[in-house]
Amino acid sequence: MTLLDPKTWQSRVLAGGEYEVVEPATGESLGAVSLAAGEDVEAAAEAGVAAQGSWARTPHFARAAVLRRAGDLFAHHADELREWLIRESGSVSGKADFELHVAAQECYEAAALASRPLGEVLPSEQPRLSYTRRVPVGVAGVIAPFNAPLILAIRSVAPALALGNAVLLKPDPRTAVCGGLALGAVFAEAGLPEGLLHILPGGAEIGQALVADQCVPVISFTGSTAAGRRVGEAAGRRLKRVHLELGGNSALVVLADADIEGAIAQATWGSFFHQGQICMTTGRHLVHTSLYEEYVERLAAKADALAVGDPYREQVHLGPVIDRSQLTKIHGLVESSTTRGARLAAGGTHQDLFYRPTVLADVDDHTPAYAEEVFGPVAPVRSFATLDEAAALAMAGPYGLSLGIVTRDTALGLELADRIPTGIAHINDQTVNDEAVAPFGGIAASGTGARFGGSANLDAFTELRWTTVRRQPAGHPF
């Protein structure tokens, strides 16, 4: 059974015109989607308000059942959805499988949220029952990016629905099918009542309309730091709650006692997974001076050995970057880095949208590809001599998302991690990790902290209400 039929994959035609769905690897058109306009956002928000009340009153086990069925359907339709993830977002097969696995797990974990305790009984100075109770926020707006389109949408959509909310989802138009319409189709087949999930593909103007709509009190945004600042500022003016998961320039710290082979395995995956188009990508390799030259040589050899090509038609390690604009940004940062003195140890070339995994050595604070988030398959490598220097380098810069430390002394690794402020830290692993049960988020320019995953979803998509009950009306002095 086909989940997504280009003739019927949107339940209604939106007012923003058509957008051609393009396969980055070939430039081939895969179909067209209907884009949203401002009037669609307003209509969807009103429909969400109308549907949400009865959904919130639906017994928790019935809401959980819908989420469990949705999780099962990601596996049932895996072949079709995998193809969309590969062709529309440029994912290699393994990355597509990972997205499908996490999507199912997010639904199962969200199903468990529906039966979590709703509050607690409080002591009171008065003769009354005093307690807190979690209630749905109402309508949640979700703005998701292109790079891991299924995961970065479902991780907000699933818990928000499970906790009794309606959802308006704005996927990036470049991945509107695998990051948007696929979710709508899965939840419709899972039995989600109409009016609760609205897919609104579009650009920044649709995100702005979501933030501005008075029927949408909570915004969950994943994207660049620059865009996140604009979303946060606009939401703040309206006194809306906003959850921001933003960019990063995460460090992998390789200590003097590290197993060099193990460190290179972490480095390769951390920088080159999904062409480096991951917020947690290892953007800075900090290597003890005693291992530096060997590390650069071995990482460059590994980069040169990786296959880059069309992930739908070939067995490759890296697929295409998402579009020409992203390619231009990546290559510009590499070229400006070598102009400033960085040594190109591997890569630095491309054919169409296929960018070779790139290793830059001898970088410093002013090397653009080291100082900035590249969002491409680029690994800048820098040496350090002491733990104090490693800590200072790792915490430098505006971001605070993820951290990896490679060492045989795990206690030392934990001690070093405690000195470096980040939302996520991994000892003897690289920086790119995700699990549905784990809280996820960054600090500083990387976002507003852990607002996704596990019990963090309760804070994201419910309000905590204080309630008291007396047997008789209270008496007051006047």
Side-chain angles (χ1 to χ4, degrees):
M1 177 182 176
T2 300
L3 180 71
L4 292 164
D5 181 346
K7 297 179 181 178
T8 59
W9 60 19
Q10 281 182 294
S11 58
R12 64 189 180 91
V13 176
L14 303 174
E18 281 197 344
Y19 184 90
E20 188 177 12
V21 181
V22 174
E23 182 178 26
T26 63
E28 177 185 340
S29 174
L30 301 175
V33 299
S34 179
L35 294 180
E39 63 200 72
D40 297 306
V41 174
E42 183 178 356
E46 291 174 354
V49 170
Q52 184 269 328
S54 60
W55 176 241
R57 293 187 294 273
T58 298
H60 69 275
F61 58 84
R63 282 185 272 121
V66 172
L67 271 296
R68 286 194 296 270
R69 285 195 293 270
D72 292 343
L73 288 169
F74 281 112
H76 181 72
H77 294 292
D79 289 344
E80 182 182 358
L81 293 174
R82 181 186 303 109
E83 181 173 328
W84 274 107
L85 283 163
I86 292 170
R87 300 191 70 184
E88 188 183 24
S89 75
S91 299
V92 298
S93 181
K95 189 261 190 180
D97 286 337
F98 176 70
E99 286 213 50
L100 290 166
H101 169 74
V102 172
Q105 293 304 312
E106 291 284 358
C107 289
Y108 299 143
E109 288 298 320
L113 286 176
S115 58
R116 290 282 185 95
L118 294 177
E120 58 185 358
V121 176
L122 304 174
S124 178
E125 297 178 357
Q126 303 296 321
R128 62 190 178 189
L129 172 64
S130 177
Y131 64 95
T132 61
R133 179 170 176 261
R134 290 191 178 274
V135 297
V137 297
V139 179
V142 178
I143 303 173
F146 72 86
N147 55 316
L150 185 54
I151 291 176
L152 300 181
I154 195 67
R155 70 176 180 183
S156 293
V157 169
L161 290 172
L163 292 167
N165 301 287
V167 176
L168 275 56
L169 168 63
K170 188 206 85 65
D172 189 302
R174 293 170 290 184
T175 50
V177 179
C178 60
L181 302 182
L183 278 77
V186 162
F187 278 101
E189 189 173 331
L192 184 72
E194 290 187 13
L196 291 170
L197 177 59
H198 300 265
I199 312 301
L200 301 165
E205 71 283 357
I206 301 305
Q208 293 165 0
L210 273 178
V211 175
D213 196 291
Q214 62 182 2
C215 295
V216 184
V218 168
I219 299 293
S220 177
F221 173 87
T222 304
S224 72
T225 297
R229 290 188 193 280
R230 293 193 292 271
V231 170
E233 289 168 2
R237 287 194 297 273
R238 294 168 174 84
L239 300 180
K240 288 190 177 189
R241 195 192 320 170
V242 61
H243 307 302
L244 303 174
E245 200 274 280
L246 309 177
N249 193 9
S250 298
L252 179 68
V253 183
V254 181
L255 300 186
D257 69 341
D259 168 29
I260 189 73
E261 184 174 351
I264 293 300
Q266 307 312 311
T268 305
W269 185 264
S271 281
F272 304 142
F273 175 66
H274 194 47
Q275 298 79 262
Q277 298 172 124
I278 301 289
C279 60
M280 298 171 284
T281 290
T282 301
R284 295 176 296 155
H285 296 246
L286 307 177
V287 183
H288 190 268
T289 185
S290 64
L291 301 176
Y292 177 76
E293 292 298 340
E294 182 181 2
Y295 185 96
V296 170
E297 181 181 348
R298 293 181 68 161
L299 182 57
K302 194 70 175 286
D304 286 338
L306 295 177
V308 182
D310 182 345
Y312 183 60
R313 298 165 182 85
E314 307 171 57
Q315 288 291 327
V316 296
H317 300 99
L318 283 76
V321 298
I322 191 66
D323 60 17
R324 182 65 57 178
S325 174
Q326 187 63 23
L327 177 82
T328 300
K329 177 193 172 187
I330 295 166
H331 195 54
L333 285 170
V334 170
E335 289 195 315
S336 61
S337 296
T338 56
T339 299
R340 284 178 170 265
R343 172 164 55 95
L344 186 65
T349 62
H350 65 91
Q351 182 175 358
D352 297 323
L353 297 182
F354 302 102
Y355 205 88
R356 289 293 314 173
T358 297
V359 178
L360 294 172
D362 306 335
V363 302
D364 59 27
D365 289 345
H366 305 293
T367 303
Y370 173 86
E372 301 176 33
E373 181 184 31
V374 179
F375 226 64
V378 179
V381 190
R382 183 173 183 174
S383 66
F384 66 87
T386 67
L387 284 177
D388 286 344
E389 184 183 4
L393 290 172
M395 71 175 70
Y399 298 104
L401 183 52
S402 189
L403 169 70
I405 298 173
V406 185
T407 176
R408 287 184 169 92
D409 186 342
T410 54
L412 180 62
L414 286 168
E415 180 183 328
L416 179 60
D418 284 343
R419 299 172 60 182
I420 303 167
T422 56
I424 303 164
H426 304 290
I427 310 302
N428 287 324
D429 203 347
Q430 42 73 50
T431 55
V432 182
N433 280 275
D434 193 14
E435 290 188 29
V437 299
F440 185 98
I443 60 175
S446 291
T448 52
R451 296 293 185 269
F452 305 100
S455 59
N457 289 312
L458 293 170
D459 293 329
F461 300 113
T462 65
E463 301 286 1
L464 197 59
R465 175 182 293 171
W466 179 38
T467 303
T468 67
V469 181
R470 291 175 178 263
R471 295 190 68 175
Q472 301 293 335
H476 298 287
F478 58 87

